[in-house]
Amino acid sequence: MNEQFNVIVIDDHPLFRKGVVQLLALDPRFVVVGEAASGAEGLVLVQEHNPDLVILDLNMKGMDGIATLRAMKELDIDSRIVMLTVSDQSADLVAAVRAGADGYLLKDMEPEEIVARLAEALDGQMAIPERLGRALALALREDDGSERNAMLASLTDREREILVCLAHGLSNKLVGRELGIAEGTVKVHVKSLLRKLSFRSRLEAAIWAVELGIK
C-alpha cells in the first residue's frame, strides 16, 4: 500500500495508547488523526474524521469496546474497526466479530505483527491471529445456521463469487482483479451479501464460508 490511511486510537490506558500512536508513527502508511481515552470520546472523533481505521480497546471503563463498536456501526462511516485487547477469550472474540469488528488483535503480539495485521484489515483481509481463528470458526459452527444457509439462495451469482473470494482471504482489490470488476463495485457487493446473510463484518462471513465449505 502506497497510500496513507487516517487512524483513530481508542484505549483508556494512556501509556499503551501512546505506545500504539508511536508505533504507527514509524510507518508512513498510517496517519493518526486522533486518540481517545473512552468510547464516548472516540465516537465523537470518529464522526468528526470518518477515519480509514479505528483501533479499539475491548475492556474500557464506562462504555466498553463492544458497546462502542456497536454504536460506531450505527454511524454513516466506512471505517475499518479492529479490536486490540489483552483478552484471548473466545467469548470476547465472538462477541466482537458478531458486533461487526473487522479484526481482533492481541496486545501481546509483536509490534511488527500488529502493524502487518492492521494493514491487512485495511486491505479487506481477515485480521485475526491464527490461534484465535479456530476458536471463532468453532463458535460459528455451533450456531444454528439453517436459516442463514437458506439465505445463500438469495445471493446473486456475483455475490456468491465474492463470498468465495472472501473465504480465500482475498482483499477487495484482489477480488476485483480476480473477477474483472472495479474495487468500488466489490465493496457494494460485499455490503449487500453481508446484509443478506445477516453478518456484521466480512471477517465473520469469511470464516463462516470456510467452515461451510463454500467453494
Side-chain angles (χ1 to χ4, degrees), residues 46-63:
V46 167
Q47 291 181 83
E48 180 181 346
H49 294 282
N50 190 13
D52 300 296
L53 174 67
V54 177
I55 300 173
L56 178 62
D57 188 19
L58 180 66
N59 298 310
M60 297 188 293
K61 297 176 183 176
M63 179 182 281

Side-chain angles (χ1 to χ4, degrees), residues 90-106:
S90 59
D92 288 333
L93 166 64
V94 171
V97 172
R98 286 178 174 158
D102 297 297
Y104 191 98
L105 305 179
L106 300 175

